[in-house]
Amino acid sequence: MIKRLNYIILIIFFTGCSNTNKKNTAQLINIESLNEILITESDGFTEVDPSVTGIIAKNEIGEKEILENQHLMHGSGIALGDMNGDGWVDIYIPRLKENNLLFMNMGNWKFKDVTQTSGVACPNRYSNGSVFADVDGDRDLDLIVTALGGAKQYIFQ
């Protein structure tokens, strides 16, 4: 009797755990062919000149500031993601002293600075990290920016 009861419970458990009403909600991404990449004799990455990409950014920090806070030597990480849903990977660059930068990918290794129109400069802070993630669950990327000695900033799209 107990054996039958155990079998019945197992059958109910396994049939109750299946979900056949779930829909496939995969997202499609634009797939376009890129220009042929120049192959050289060396292995690894090939540098693309900033005059081609349009990306010009650097972190400059003084020795006095580094002596006061050695965490500033670590620099800032960048965030990569399709922030506008066009299928191209965009670049967000947090910086330590200057305003942060957002570059929209226009294709063919060309990027456009859209920082001011996007409102993501995060001025007057030591931004030391960033990530694109769907924080609010609305299926588009949001931006999270971290800072040394300041509040984190969540920018919802």
Side-chain angles (χ1 to χ4, degrees):
M1 178 71 182
I2 293 176
K3 237 181 184 183
R4 283 188 190 169
L5 186 58
N6 285 339
Y7 287 126
I8 292 172
I9 290 172
L10 281 174
I11 291 171
I12 292 171
F13 177 75
F14 284 116
T15 57
C17 289
S18 67
N19 185 359
T20 57
N21 295 332
K22 201 170 199 178
K23 294 181 181 176
N24 185 359
T25 58
Q27 291 181 327
L28 296 177
I29 297 175
N30 277 349
I31 298 175
E32 296 183 24
S33 61
L34 297 174
N35 290 343
E36 185 175 329
I37 296 175
L38 180 63
I39 298 174
T40 63
E41 295 292 322
S42 65
D43 294 331
F45 295 96
T46 301
E47 183 177 352
V48 181
D49 194 86
S51 64
V52 173
T53 63
I55 298 175
I56 300 173
K58 58 183 167 178
N59 265 327
E60 290 187 13
I61 198 79
E63 185 177 343
K64 180 181 179 221
E65 292 166 306
I66 291 173
L67 291 173
E68 291 173 1
N69 188 344
Q70 292 186 0
H71 293 290
L72 296 175
M73 289 190 309
H74 301 154
S76 303
I78 65 170
L80 302 173
D82 182 10
M83 61 102 187
N84 58 354
D86 65 357
W88 293 100
V89 176
D90 306 304
I91 302 173
Y92 184 79
I93 303 173
R95 301 195 296 174
L96 294 172
K97 287 178 72 173
E98 298 84 10
N99 290 346
N100 300 341
L101 300 170
L102 176 62
F103 290 96
M104 184 171 58
N105 191 336
M106 309 302 287
N108 289 325
W109 299 103
K110 306 274 188 224
F111 293 83
K112 178 181 176 184
D113 186 347
V114 294
T115 308
Q116 297 307 317
T117 57
S118 300
V120 295
C122 301
N124 304 317
R125 55 188 287 166
Y126 290 119
S127 297
N128 67 332
S130 61
V131 66
F132 283 115
D134 184 7
V135 177
D136 55 1
D138 63 356
R139 308 198 82 198
D140 64 9
L141 294 179
D142 306 304
L143 177 62
I144 302 169
V145 181
T146 59
L148 288 172
K152 295 359 172 209
Q153 188 156 352
Y154 305 98
I155 303 169
F156 294 102
Q157 191 169 321

